[in-house]
Amino acid sequence: MDQWTSIYNAGVSSVSRATLGNQIFAALFKLAPDTEALFSRVGVSDMSSGAFRAHASRVLSGLDMGINSLKETATLDSLTSHMAAQHIARPGVKGVHFDVMGKVLMTALPTLIEGFNPDAWGNCLRPLKSAIAKGL
Ligand code: HEM
């Protein structure tokens, strides 16, 4: 939680959040090119557009809420099942895409976080990812 806060709230700069968002999505599209078309409604053709930045911001906020609710089971369950429903509603989104997203995060975050602890991060991200991908 502290390590996530250290980058997510670094200077509370929307620019650095936008950079993080773009870095994550660019890596996702490289590893799973079939996912890019899923984001056409939110301006993926221009990843520096307001529409795509707003999308990336929603995703990072979702991740932020998830990480910060890890110790509150009832909140976490409600939050993740809400996000699971939002993904089930989007045809073409597959469970395997979340495995790729997990890899992307476990590759991108160590470049930004000093003293990145892969065990701790794996234990946080794995259950979050599985809960958000439930039903896919
Ligand atoms: C939308 C979170 C991973 C595909 C969203 C939204 C959130 C979110 C909060 C906005 C929901 C709404 O406003 O209705 C997350 C989190 C993820 C994650 C926290 C994992 C860390 C993925 C993955 C895919 C995906 C791996 C598949 C490639 C989508 C699509 C949308 C979406 C297609 C809808 C875009 C639109 O509005 O047209 N996600 N997401 N997400 N997500 Fe995810």
Side-chain angles (χ1 to χ4, degrees):
M1 281 177 173
D2 288 345
Q3 290 192 337
W4 169 254
T5 300
S6 77
I7 54 164
Y8 188 68
N9 290 329
V12 198
S13 145
S14 61
V15 175
S16 68
R17 280 187 195 169
T19 307
L20 174 62
N22 272 15
Q23 192 183 337
I24 287 168
F25 276 99
L28 177 72
F29 300 154
K30 213 169 167 188
L31 290 177
D34 60 315
T35 58
E36 190 167 339
L38 299 172
F39 302 96
S40 55
R41 203 181 71 101
V42 286
V44 73
S45 55
D46 177 3
M47 287 177 67
S48 58
S49 64
F52 194 75
R53 284 191 174 184
H55 165 72
S57 174
R58 284 190 288 277
V59 174
L60 288 181
S61 299
L63 196 55
D64 180 57
M65 287 188 284
I67 290 171
N68 282 303
S69 303
L70 282 168
K71 293 181 185 166
E72 295 160 49
T73 314
T75 310
L76 182 65
D77 286 351
S78 179
L79 193 64
T80 54
S81 47
H82 187 89
M83 281 197 271
Q86 286 175 318
H87 287 89
I88 288 169
R90 264 73 187 222
V93 178
K94 298 178 188 151
V96 69
H97 296 148
F98 280 80
D99 295 333
V100 180
M101 180 61 104
K103 278 190 196 124
V104 165
L105 291 171
M106 290 298 282
T107 307
L109 295 175
T111 69
L112 303 165
I113 292 170
E114 213 176 306
F116 183 85
N117 179 334
D119 277 348
W121 274 96
N123 288 333
C124 290
L125 292 182
R126 255 190 316 276
L128 268 182
K129 177 196 80 171
S130 305
I132 300 172
K134 200 169 170 190
L136 288 173

